[in-house]
Structures are given as structure tokens and as C-alpha cells.
Amino acid sequence: MSVLIKPIITEKVTADSEVNNRFGFIVNGNANKLEIKDAVEAAYGVSVEKVRTMNYGPKRSVRYTKAGIQYGKTNAYKKAIVQVAEGDTIDFYSNI
């Protein structure tokens, strides 16, 4: 079970990382805050001060077509905002 799925690189999270030293990740839905903290510290070599998590549910949609009613939904996911210690930083753009 991989705890970290991918980093979130949006305008809002990037601004938050520059100002408040917080970084966003999409994480496994079954992971708790301690597992997320350990995974970030092991993967990026930083010390984590705080972890905030958010569960996002699926967004459902309905289309009415000639073939009938088509139902769809997006995937549910869990997002974690990780605050690292002062002086530490995570570089998502390095090719190491």
C-alpha cells in the first residue's frame, strides 16, 4: 500500500507552499495522519510539523442521450496538506 499517490501542483497550493511552507498531496484513502507524516519524511527527507486531511467524495453526473440515461461519477480521493518545519522545503520539479 503506497501512502502518497501524487503531489498537488496547483496555483493555490504552490502559493501556500511559498508563503506558509505547506505542501499538498493526494494520499491513499485508508491512510491516517501518522502514516502520511512518516511517508513524507521518508520520501523527501524533511521534518513534518502538522498534517491536515480532507476527504473528497465523488461528483455524480447524469446525461440524457438518445440511447437512454447515462450515469457517471468521478473518483473519491483524500487530500493531505503537510506543513514542514521552518527551513525545510520540498522540490517537486527536480529530476532526481
Side-chain angles (χ1 to χ4, degrees):
M1 172 179 110
S2 177
V3 176
L4 299 177
I5 296 174
K6 65 180 180 179
I8 301 172
I9 303 174
T10 60
E11 200 171 332
K12 186 175 183 179
V13 175
T14 304
D16 203 26
S17 68
E18 293 169 355
V19 176
N20 297 321
N21 228 16
R22 294 183 195 141
F23 300 90
F25 295 93
I26 302 291
V27 296
N28 190 317
N30 297 325
N32 60 29
K33 292 183 180 187
L34 296 176
E35 292 172 345
I36 295 167
K37 178 182 178 180
D38 292 340
V40 171
E41 287 177 345
Y44 296 103
V46 296
S47 58
V48 175
E49 289 181 347
K50 189 178 279 192
V51 177
R52 298 173 177 90
T53 59
M54 294 160 268
N55 282 311
Y56 282 87
K59 295 194 170 55
R60 300 177 193 281
S61 64
V62 177
R63 269 193 320 248
Y64 300 97
T65 63
K66 284 191 268 186
I69 300 174
Q70 302 291 318
Y71 297 100
K73 72 174 187 67
T74 61
N75 292 330
Y77 62 96
K78 188 173 192 174
K79 183 162 80 169
I81 304 298
V82 177
Q83 184 168 354
V84 299
E86 193 69 32
D88 286 345
T89 187
I90 297 173
D91 186 16
F92 293 131
Y93 301 107
S94 65
N95 293 329
I96 295 174

Coordinates of all heavy atoms in Angstrom, one line a residue:
M1 N 0.8 -1.2 0.0 CA 0.0 0.0 0.0 C 0.9 1.2 0.0 O 1.6 1.5 0.9 CB -0.9 0.0 1.2 CG -1.7 1.2 1.5 SD -2.7 1.1 2.9 CE -1.9 2.3 4.0
S2 N 0.8 2.0 -1.0 CA 1.6 3.2 -1.1 C 0.7 4.4 -0.5 O -0.4 4.5 -0.9 CB 1.9 3.6 -2.6 OG 2.5 4.8 -2.7
V3 N 1.3 5.1 0.4 CA 0.5 6.1 1.1 C 0.4 7.3 0.2 O -0.7 7.9 0.0 CB 1.2 6.4 2.5 CG1 0.5 7.6 3.1 CG2 1.2 5.2 3.4
L4 N 1.5 7.8 -0.3 CA 1.5 9.0 -1.2 C 1.2 8.6 -2.6 O 1.9 7.8 -3.2 CB 2.8 9.7 -1.1 CG 3.3 10.3 0.3 CD1 4.6 10.9 0.2 CD2 2.3 11.3 0.8
I5 N 0.2 9.2 -3.2 CA -0.2 8.9 -4.6 C 0.5 9.9 -5.5 O 1.3 9.5 -6.4 CB -1.7 8.8 -4.8 CG1 -2.3 7.7 -4.0 CG2 -2.0 8.6 -6.3 CD1 -3.8 7.6 -4.0
K6 N 0.3 11.2 -5.3 CA 0.9 12.2 -6.1 C 0.8 13.5 -5.4 O -0.1 13.8 -4.6 CB 0.3 12.3 -7.5 CG -1.1 12.7 -7.5 CD -1.7 12.8 -9.0 CE -3.1 13.3 -9.0 NZ -3.6 13.4 -10.3
P7 N 1.8 14.4 -5.7 CA 1.7 15.8 -5.2 C 0.6 16.6 -5.9 O 0.3 16.4 -7.1 CB 3.1 16.3 -5.4 CG 3.6 15.6 -6.5 CD 3.0 14.2 -6.5
I8 N 0.1 17.6 -5.2 CA -0.8 18.5 -5.8 C -0.1 19.8 -6.2 O 0.6 20.4 -5.4 CB -1.9 18.9 -4.8 CG1 -2.7 17.7 -4.4 CG2 -2.9 19.9 -5.5 CD1 -3.7 17.9 -3.3
I9 N -0.1 20.1 -7.5 CA 0.6 21.2 -8.0 C -0.4 22.1 -8.7 O -0.6 22.1 -9.9 CB 1.7 20.8 -9.0 CG1 2.7 19.9 -8.3 CG2 2.5 22.0 -9.5 CD1 3.7 19.3 -9.2
T10 N -1.0 23.0 -7.9 CA -2.0 24.0 -8.4 C -1.5 25.3 -8.0 O -0.6 25.5 -7.2 CB -3.4 23.7 -7.8 OG1 -3.4 23.8 -6.4 CG2 -3.9 22.4 -8.2
E11 N -2.1 26.3 -8.5 CA -1.7 27.7 -8.2 C -1.9 28.0 -6.7 O -1.1 28.6 -6.0 CB -2.6 28.7 -9.0 CG -2.0 30.0 -9.2 CD -2.8 30.9 -10.2 OE1 -3.4 30.3 -11.1 OE2 -2.8 32.1 -10.0
K12 N -3.0 27.5 -6.1 CA -3.3 27.8 -4.7 C -2.3 27.1 -3.8 O -1.8 27.7 -2.8 CB -4.8 27.3 -4.4 CG -5.3 27.7 -3.0 CD -6.7 27.3 -2.9 CE -7.3 27.6 -1.6 NZ -8.7 27.3 -1.5
V13 N -2.1 25.8 -4.0 CA -1.1 25.1 -3.2 C 0.3 25.5 -3.3 O 1.1 25.6 -2.4 CB -1.3 23.5 -3.5 CG1 -0.2 22.8 -2.7 CG2 -2.7 23.1 -3.1
T14 N 0.7 25.9 -4.6 CA 2.0 26.5 -4.8 C 2.2 27.8 -4.0 O 3.3 28.0 -3.4 CB 2.3 26.7 -6.3 OG1 2.1 25.4 -6.9 CG2 3.7 27.1 -6.5
A15 N 1.2 28.6 -4.0 CA 1.3 29.9 -3.3 C 1.4 29.6 -1.8 O 2.2 30.3 -1.1 CB 0.1 30.8 -3.6
D16 N 0.7 28.6 -1.3 CA 0.7 28.3 0.1 C 2.0 27.7 0.5 O 2.5 27.9 1.6 CB -0.4 27.3 0.4 CG -0.8 27.2 1.9 OD1 -0.6 28.3 2.5 OD2 -1.4 26.2 2.3
S17 N 2.7 27.0 -0.4 CA 4.0 26.4 -0.1 C 5.1 27.5 0.0 O 6.0 27.4 0.8 CB 4.4 25.3 -1.2 OG 4.6 25.9 -2.4
E18 N 4.9 28.5 -0.9 CA 5.9 29.6 -0.8 C 5.8 30.4 0.4 O 6.8 30.9 1.0 CB 5.8 30.4 -2.1 CG 6.2 29.7 -3.4 CD 5.8 30.5 -4.6 OE1 5.2 31.5 -4.5 OE2 6.2 30.0 -5.7
V19 N 4.5 30.7 0.9 CA 4.3 31.6 2.0 C 4.3 30.9 3.3 O 5.0 31.3 4.2 CB 2.9 32.3 1.8 CG1 2.6 33.2 3.0 CG2 2.9 33.1 0.5
N20 N 3.6 29.7 3.4 CA 3.4 29.1 4.7 C 4.2 27.8 4.9 O 4.0 27.1 5.9 CB 1.9 28.8 5.0 CG 1.2 30.1 5.0 OD1 1.6 31.1 5.6 ND2 0.0 30.1 4.5
N21 N 4.9 27.4 3.9 CA 5.7 26.1 3.9 C 4.8 24.9 4.1 O 5.1 24.0 4.8 CB 6.7 26.2 5.1 CG 8.1 25.7 4.6 OD1 8.4 25.6 3.5 ND2 8.9 25.4 5.6
R22 N 3.6 24.9 3.3 CA 2.7 23.8 3.3 C 2.7 23.2 1.9 O 2.6 23.9 0.9 CB 1.3 24.3 3.7 CG 1.2 24.8 5.1 CD -0.3 25.1 5.4 NE -0.4 25.9 6.6 CZ -1.2 27.0 6.7 NH1 -2.0 27.3 5.8 NH2 -1.2 27.6 7.8
F23 N 2.6 21.9 1.8 CA 2.6 21.2 0.6 C 1.4 20.2 0.5 O 1.1 19.6 1.5 CB 3.9 20.4 0.4 CG 5.1 21.3 0.4 CD1 5.8 21.6 1.6 CD2 5.6 21.9 -0.8 CE1 6.9 22.4 1.6 CE2 6.7 22.7 -0.8 CZ 7.3 23.0 0.4
G24 N 0.8 20.0 -0.6 CA -0.3 19.2 -0.8 C -0.1 17.9 -1.5 O 0.8 17.8 -2.4
F25 N -0.7 16.8 -1.1 CA -0.6 15.5 -1.7 C -2.0 14.8 -1.8 O -2.8 15.0 -0.9 CB 0.3 14.6 -0.8 CG 1.7 15.1 -0.7 CD1 2.1 15.9 0.4 CD2 2.6 14.7 -1.6 CE1 3.4 16.3 0.5 CE2 4.0 15.1 -1.5 CZ 4.3 15.9 -0.5
I26 N -2.1 14.0 -2.8 CA -3.2 13.1 -2.9 C -2.7 11.8 -2.2 O -1.6 11.3 -2.6 CB -3.7 12.8 -4.4 CG1 -4.1 14.1 -5.1 CG2 -4.8 11.8 -4.4 CD1 -5.3 14.7 -4.6
V27 N -3.5 11.3 -1.3 CA -3.0 10.2 -0.5 C -4.0 9.0 -0.5 O -5.1 9.2 -1.0 CB -2.7 10.6 1.0 CG1 -1.6 11.6 1.1 CG2 -3.9 11.1 1.7
N28 N -3.6 7.9 -0.1 CA -4.5 6.7 0.0 C -5.6 7.0 0.9 O -5.4 7.6 2.0 CB -3.7 5.5 0.5 CG -4.4 4.2 0.4 OD1 -5.6 4.2 0.7 ND2 -3.7 3.2 -0.1
G29 N -6.8 6.6 0.6 CA -8.0 6.9 1.4 C -8.0 6.2 2.8 O -8.7 6.7 3.7
N30 N -7.2 5.2 2.9 CA -7.1 4.5 4.2 C -6.0 5.0 5.1 O -5.8 4.5 6.2 CB -7.0 3.0 4.0 CG -8.2 2.4 3.3 OD1 -9.3 2.9 3.5 ND2 -8.0 1.4 2.4
A31 N -5.2 5.9 4.6 CA -4.0 6.3 5.4 C -4.4 7.3 6.5 O -5.3 8.2 6.2 CB -3.0 7.0 4.4
N32 N -3.8 7.2 7.6 CA -4.1 8.2 8.7 C -2.9 9.2 8.7 O -2.0 9.1 8.0 CB -4.3 7.5 10.1 CG -3.1 6.7 10.5 OD1 -1.9 7.0 10.1 ND2 -3.3 5.7 11.3
K33 N -3.1 10.2 9.6 CA -2.1 11.3 9.7 C -0.7 10.9 10.0 O 0.3 11.4 9.5 CB -2.6 12.4 10.7 CG -3.8 13.1 10.2 CD -4.2 14.2 11.2 CE -5.5 14.9 10.7 NZ -5.8 16.0 11.5
L34 N -0.6 9.9 10.9 CA 0.8 9.4 11.3 C 1.5 8.7 10.1 O 2.7 8.9 9.9 CB 0.7 8.5 12.5 CG 0.2 9.1 13.8 CD1 0.0 8.1 14.9 CD2 1.1 10.2 14.2
E35 N 0.7 7.9 9.3 CA 1.3 7.2 8.2 C 1.7 8.2 7.1 O 2.7 8.1 6.5 CB 0.3 6.2 7.6 CG 0.0 5.0 8.5 CD -1.1 4.2 8.0 OE1 -1.9 4.6 7.1 OE2 -1.3 3.1 8.5
I36 N 0.9 9.3 6.9 CA 1.2 10.3 5.9 C 2.5 11.1 6.4 O 3.4 11.3 5.5 CB 0.0 11.3 5.8 CG1 -1.2 10.6 5.2 CG2 0.4 12.5 4.9 CD1 -2.5 11.3 5.2
K37 N 2.6 11.4 7.7 CA 3.8 12.1 8.2 C 5.0 11.2 7.9 O 6.0 11.7 7.4 CB 3.6 12.4 9.6 CG 4.8 13.0 10.3 CD 4.5 13.3 11.8 CE 5.8 13.9 12.4 NZ 5.6 14.1 13.8
D38 N 5.0 10.0 8.3 CA 6.1 9.1 8.1 C 6.5 8.9 6.6 O 7.7 8.9 6.3 CB 5.8 7.7 8.7 CG 5.7 7.7 10.2 OD1 6.2 8.7 10.8 OD2 5.1 6.8 10.8
A39 N 5.5 8.9 5.7 CA 5.8 8.7 4.3 C 6.4 9.9 3.7 O 7.4 9.8 2.9 CB 4.5 8.4 3.6
V40 N 6.0 11.1 4.1 CA 6.6 12.3 3.6 C 8.0 12.5 4.1 O 8.9 12.9 3.3 CB 5.7 13.6 3.9 CG1 6.4 14.9 3.6 CG2 4.4 13.5 3.2
E41 N 8.2 12.2 5.4 CA 9.5 12.4 5.9 C 10.5 11.4 5.3 O 11.7 11.7 5.0 CB 9.5 12.1 7.5 CG 8.9 13.3 8.2 CD 8.8 13.1 9.7 OE1 8.9 11.9 10.1 OE2 8.5 14.0 10.4
A42 N 10.0 10.2 5.0 CA 10.9 9.2 4.3 C 11.2 9.5 2.9 O 12.3 9.3 2.4 CB 10.3 7.8 4.5
A43 N 10.2 10.0 2.2 CA 10.3 10.2 0.7 C 11.1 11.5 0.4 O 11.9 11.5 -0.5 CB 8.9 10.3 0.1
Y44 N 10.9 12.5 1.2 CA 11.6 13.8 0.9 C 12.6 14.3 1.9 O 13.3 15.3 1.7 CB 10.5 14.9 0.8 CG 9.5 14.6 -0.4 CD1 8.2 14.1 -0.1 CD2 9.9 14.9 -1.7 CE1 7.4 13.9 -1.1 CE2 9.0 14.6 -2.7 CZ 7.8 14.1 -2.5 OH 6.9 13.8 -3.5
G45 N 12.8 13.6 3.0 CA 13.9 13.9 3.9 C 13.6 15.3 4.7 O 14.6 16.0 4.9
V46 N 12.4 15.6 5.0 CA 12.0 16.8 5.7 C 11.4 16.4 7.0 O 11.0 15.2 7.2 CB 11.1 17.7 4.9 CG1 11.8 18.2 3.7 CG2 9.8 17.0 4.6
S47 N 11.3 17.3 8.0 CA 10.6 17.1 9.2 C 9.2 17.7 9.1 O 9.1 18.9 8.9 CB 11.4 17.6 10.4 OG 11.6 18.9 10.3
V48 N 8.2 17.0 9.4 CA 6.8 17.4 9.3 C 6.3 17.9 10.6 O 6.4 17.2 11.6 CB 5.9 16.3 8.7 CG1 4.5 16.7 8.7 CG2 6.4 15.8 7.3
E49 N 5.7 19.1 10.6 CA 5.1 19.6 11.9 C 3.7 19.3 12.0 O 3.2 18.9 13.1 CB 5.3 21.1 11.9 CG 6.7 21.6 12.1 CD 6.8 23.1 12.1 OE1 5.8 23.8 11.8 OE2 7.8 23.6 12.5
K50 N 2.9 19.4 11.0 CA 1.4 19.2 11.1 C 0.9 18.6 9.8 O 1.4 18.9 8.7 CB 0.8 20.5 11.3 CG -0.7 20.4 11.7 CD -1.3 21.8 11.9 CE -0.9 22.2 13.4 NZ -1.7 23.4 13.8
V51 N -0.1 17.8 9.9 CA -0.8 17.2 8.7 C -2.3 17.4 8.9 O -2.9 17.2 9.9 CB -0.6 15.6 8.7 CG1 -1.3 15.0 7.5 CG2 0.9 15.3 8.6
R52 N -2.9 18.0 7.8 CA -4.3 18.2 7.7 C -4.8 17.4 6.6 O -4.3 17.3 5.5 CB -4.6 19.7 7.4 CG -4.1 20.6 8.5 CD -4.3 22.1 8.0 NE -4.0 23.0 9.1 CZ -2.7 23.5 9.2 NH1 -1.8 23.2 8.4 NH2 -2.5 24.4 10.1
T53 N -6.0 16.7 6.8 CA -6.5 15.8 5.8 C -7.9 16.2 5.4 O -8.7 16.8 6.3 CB -6.5 14.3 6.2 OG1 -7.3 14.2 7.4 CG2 -5.1 13.8 6.5
M54 N -8.3 15.9 4.2 CA -9.7 16.2 3.7 C -10.1 15.1 2.8 O -9.4 14.6 2.0 CB -9.7 17.5 2.9 CG -9.4 18.7 3.7 SD -8.8 20.1 2.6 CE -7.1 19.8 2.6
N55 N -11.3 14.6 3.0 CA -11.9 13.6 2.2 C -12.9 14.2 1.2 O -13.8 15.0 1.6 CB -12.7 12.5 3.0 CG -11.8 11.6 3.7 OD1 -10.9 11.0 3.1 ND2 -12.0 11.4 5.0
Y56 N -12.6 13.9 -0.1 CA -13.5 14.4 -1.2 C -14.3 13.3 -1.7 O -13.8 12.3 -2.1 CB -12.7 15.1 -2.3 CG -12.1 16.4 -1.9 CD1 -11.0 16.6 -1.2 CD2 -12.9 17.6 -2.3 CE1 -10.5 17.9 -0.9 CE2 -12.4 18.8 -2.0 CZ -11.2 19.0 -1.3 OH -10.8 20.2 -1.0
G57 N -15.6 13.5 -1.8 CA -16.5 12.4 -2.3 C -16.6 12.5 -3.8 O -16.1 13.5 -4.4
P58 N -17.2 11.5 -4.5 CA -17.3 11.6 -5.9 C -18.3 12.6 -6.4 O -19.3 12.9 -5.7 CB -17.7 10.2 -6.3 CG -18.4 9.7 -5.0 CD -17.7 10.3 -3.9
K59 N -18.1 13.2 -7.5 CA -19.0 14.1 -8.1 C -19.8 13.3 -9.2 O -19.3 12.6 -10.1 CB -18.3 15.2 -8.8 CG -17.6 16.1 -7.8 CD -17.2 17.4 -8.4 CE -16.6 18.4 -7.4 NZ -15.6 17.9 -6.6
R60 N -21.1 13.3 -9.0 CA -22.0 12.5 -9.9 C -22.6 13.3 -11.0 O -22.9 14.5 -10.8 CB -23.1 11.8 -9.0 CG -22.5 10.9 -8.0 CD -23.6 10.3 -7.1 NE -23.0 9.7 -5.9 CZ -22.4 8.5 -5.9 NH1 -22.3 7.8 -7.0 NH2 -21.9 8.0 -4.8
S61 N -22.9 12.7 -12.1 CA -23.5 13.4 -13.2 C -24.4 12.5 -14.0 O -24.3 11.3 -13.9 CB -22.4 14.0 -14.2 OG -21.7 12.9 -14.8
V62 N -25.4 13.1 -14.7 CA -26.3 12.4 -15.5 C -26.4 13.1 -16.8 O -26.5 14.3 -16.9 CB -27.7 12.4 -14.8 CG1 -28.8 11.7 -15.7 CG2 -27.7 11.8 -13.4
R63 N -26.4 12.2 -17.9 CA -26.6 12.7 -19.3 C -27.8 12.1 -19.9 O -28.0 10.8 -19.7 CB -25.3 12.4 -20.1 CG -24.3 13.4 -20.1 CD -23.2 13.1 -21.2 NE -22.9 11.7 -21.3 CZ -21.8 11.1 -21.0 NH1 -20.8 11.9 -20.6 NH2 -21.6 9.8 -21.1
Y64 N -28.6 12.8 -20.6 CA -29.7 12.3 -21.2 C -29.4 12.2 -22.7 O -29.2 13.2 -23.4 CB -30.9 13.2 -21.0 CG -31.3 13.3 -19.5 CD1 -30.8 14.4 -18.8 CD2 -32.0 12.3 -18.9 CE1 -31.1 14.5 -17.4 CE2 -32.3 12.4 -17.5 CZ -31.8 13.5 -16.8 OH -32.1 13.6 -15.5
T65 N -29.3 11.0 -23.3 CA -28.9 10.8 -24.6 C -30.0 10.0 -25.4 O -31.0 9.6 -24.7 CB -27.6 10.0 -24.8 OG1 -27.8 8.7 -24.2 CG2 -26.5 10.7 -24.0
K66 N -29.8 9.8 -26.7 CA -30.8 9.0 -27.5 C -30.8 7.6 -27.0 O -31.8 6.9 -27.0 CB -30.4 9.0 -28.9 CG -30.8 10.3 -29.6 CD -30.6 10.2 -31.1 CE -29.3 10.6 -31.5 NZ -29.1 10.6 -33.0
A67 N -29.7 7.1 -26.5 CA -29.6 5.7 -26.0 C -30.2 5.5 -24.6 O -30.3 4.4 -24.2 CB -28.1 5.3 -26.0
G68 N -30.5 6.6 -24.0 CA -31.0 6.5 -22.6 C -30.3 7.4 -21.6 O -29.5 8.2 -22.0
I69 N -30.5 7.1 -20.4 CA -29.9 7.9 -19.3 C -28.5 7.3 -19.0 O -28.4 6.1 -18.8 CB -30.7 8.0 -18.1 CG1 -32.1 8.6 -18.4 CG2 -30.0 8.7 -17.0 CD1 -33.1 8.6 -17.2
Q70 N -27.4 8.1 -19.1 CA -26.1 7.7 -18.8 C -25.7 8.3 -17.4 O -25.7 9.5 -17.2 CB -25.1 8.2 -19.8 CG -25.5 7.8 -21.2 CD -25.2 6.3 -21.4 OE1 -24.3 5.7 -20.9 NE2 -26.2 5.6 -22.1
Y71 N -25.3 7.4 -16.5 CA -24.8 7.9 -15.2 C -23.3 7.8 -15.2 O -22.7 6.9 -15.7 CB -25.4 7.0 -14.1 CG -26.9 7.0 -14.0 CD1 -27.7 6.0 -14.6 CD2 -27.5 8.0 -13.4 CE1 -29.1 6.0 -14.5 CE2 -28.9 8.1 -13.3 CZ -29.7 7.1 -13.9 OH -31.0 7.1 -13.8
G72 N -22.7 8.7 -14.4 CA -21.3 8.7 -14.3 C -20.9 9.4 -13.0 O -21.6 10.1 -12.3
K73 N -19.6 9.1 -12.6 CA -19.1 9.7 -11.4 C -17.6 9.8 -11.5 O -17.0 9.0 -12.1 CB -19.5 9.0 -10.1 CG -18.9 7.7 -9.9 CD -19.3 7.1 -8.5 CE -18.5 5.9 -8.2 NZ -17.1 6.1 -8.0
T74 N -17.0 10.8 -10.8 CA -15.6 10.9 -10.6 C -15.1 10.0 -9.4 O -16.0 9.6 -8.6 CB -15.1 12.3 -10.5 OG1 -15.7 12.8 -9.3 CG2 -15.5 13.2 -11.7
N75 N -13.9 9.8 -9.3 CA -13.4 9.0 -8.2 C -13.3 9.9 -6.9 O -13.0 11.1 -6.9 CB -12.0 8.5 -8.5 CG -12.0 7.4 -9.5 OD1 -13.0 6.7 -9.7 ND2 -10.9 7.4 -10.3
A76 N -13.6 9.2 -5.8 CA -13.4 9.9 -4.5 C -11.9 9.8 -4.1 O -11.2 8.9 -4.5 CB -14.2 9.1 -3.4
Y77 N -11.4 10.8 -3.4 CA -10.0 10.8 -3.0 C -9.8 11.6 -1.7 O -10.7 12.2 -1.2 CB -9.1 11.5 -4.1 CG -9.4 12.9 -4.4 CD1 -8.7 13.9 -3.9 CD2 -10.4 13.3 -5.3 CE1 -9.0 15.3 -4.1 CE2 -10.7 14.6 -5.6 CZ -10.0 15.6 -5.0 OH -10.3 16.9 -5.3
K78 N -8.6 11.4 -1.1 CA -8.2 12.0 0.1 C -7.0 12.9 -0.2 O -6.1 12.5 -0.8 CB -7.9 10.9 1.1 CG -7.6 11.5 2.5 CD -7.4 10.3 3.5 CE -7.5 10.8 4.9 NZ -7.5 9.7 5.9
K79 N -7.1 14.1 0.4 CA -6.1 15.1 0.2 C -5.5 15.4 1.5 O -6.1 15.5 2.5 CB -6.7 16.4 -0.4 CG -5.8 17.5 -0.8 CD -6.4 18.5 -1.8 CE -7.3 19.5 -1.1 NZ -7.6 20.6 -2.0
A80 N -4.1 15.6 1.5 CA -3.4 16.0 2.8 C -2.6 17.2 2.5 O -1.9 17.3 1.5 CB -2.5 14.8 3.2
I81 N -2.7 18.2 3.4 CA -1.9 19.3 3.4 C -0.8 19.2 4.5 O -1.2 19.0 5.7 CB -2.7 20.6 3.7 CG1 -3.8 20.7 2.6 CG2 -1.8 21.9 3.7 CD1 -3.3 20.9 1.2
V82 N 0.4 19.1 4.2 CA 1.5 18.8 5.1 C 2.3 20.1 5.3 O 2.8 20.7 4.4 CB 2.4 17.7 4.5 CG1 3.6 17.5 5.4 CG2 1.6 16.5 4.3
Q83 N 2.5 20.5 6.6 CA 3.3 21.6 6.9 C 4.6 21.1 7.4 O 4.7 20.4 8.4 CB 2.6 22.5 8.0 CG 3.4 23.7 8.3 CD 2.6 24.7 9.2 OE1 1.4 24.5 9.4 NE2 3.2 25.8 9.6
V84 N 5.7 21.6 6.7 CA 7.1 21.1 7.1 C 7.7 22.2 8.0 O 7.3 23.3 8.1 CB 7.9 20.8 5.9 CG1 7.3 19.7 5.0 CG2 8.1 22.1 5.0
A85 N 8.8 21.8 8.6 CA 9.5 22.7 9.6 C 10.1 23.9 8.9 O 10.4 23.8 7.7 CB 10.6 21.9 10.3
E86 N 10.3 24.9 9.6 CA 10.9 26.1 9.1 C 12.3 25.8 8.5 O 13.1 25.2 9.2 CB 11.0 27.2 10.2 CG 11.3 28.6 9.7 CD 10.2 29.2 8.9 OE1 9.0 28.9 9.1 OE2 10.5 30.0 7.9
G87 N 12.6 26.2 7.3 CA 13.9 26.0 6.7 C 13.9 24.8 5.8 O 14.8 24.6 4.9
D88 N 13.0 23.8 6.0 CA 12.9 22.7 5.1 C 12.0 23.0 3.9 O 11.1 23.9 4.0 CB 12.3 21.5 5.8 CG 13.2 20.8 6.8 OD1 14.4 21.1 6.7 OD2 12.8 20.0 7.6
T89 N 12.2 22.4 2.8 CA 11.4 22.6 1.6 C 11.4 21.3 0.8 O 12.3 20.5 0.9 CB 11.9 23.8 0.8 OG1 10.9 24.0 -0.3 CG2 13.2 23.6 0.2
I90 N 10.4 21.2 0.0 CA 10.2 20.1 -0.9 C 10.3 20.6 -2.4 O 9.5 21.5 -2.7 CB 8.9 19.3 -0.7 CG1 8.9 18.7 0.7 CG2 8.7 18.2 -1.7 CD1 7.5 18.1 1.1
D91 N 11.1 20.0 -3.2 CA 11.2 20.4 -4.6 C 10.6 19.3 -5.5 O 11.2 18.3 -5.6 CB 12.7 20.7 -5.0 CG 12.9 21.2 -6.3 OD1 11.9 21.7 -6.9 OD2 14.0 21.2 -6.9
F92 N 9.4 19.6 -6.0 CA 8.7 18.6 -6.8 C 9.3 18.6 -8.2 O 9.1 17.7 -9.0 CB 7.3 19.0 -6.9 CG 6.5 18.8 -5.6 CD1 5.7 19.8 -5.1 CD2 6.7 17.6 -4.9 CE1 5.0 19.6 -3.9 CE2 6.0 17.5 -3.7 CZ 5.2 18.5 -3.2
Y93 N 10.1 19.6 -8.6 CA 10.5 19.7 -10.0 C 11.9 19.2 -10.3 O 12.4 19.3 -11.4 CB 10.4 21.2 -10.4 CG 9.0 21.8 -10.3 CD1 8.7 22.7 -9.3 CD2 8.0 21.4 -11.2 CE1 7.4 23.2 -9.2 CE2 6.7 21.9 -11.1 CZ 6.4 22.8 -10.1 OH 5.2 23.3 -9.9
S94 N 12.6 18.7 -9.3 CA 13.9 18.2 -9.5 C 13.8 16.8 -10.2 O 12.9 16.0 -9.9 CB 14.7 18.0 -8.2 OG 14.1 17.1 -7.4
N95 N 14.7 16.5 -11.0 CA 14.7 15.2 -11.8 C 15.6 14.2 -11.1 O 16.4 13.5 -11.8 CB 15.1 15.4 -13.2 CG 14.1 16.2 -14.0 OD1 12.9 16.1 -13.7 ND2 14.5 17.0 -14.9
I96 N 15.6 14.1 -9.8 CA 16.5 13.1 -9.1 C 15.8 11.8 -9.0 O 14.7 11.6 -8.7 CB 16.9 13.7 -7.8 CG1 17.7 15.0 -8.0 CG2 17.7 12.7 -7.0 CD1 18.0 15.7 -6.7

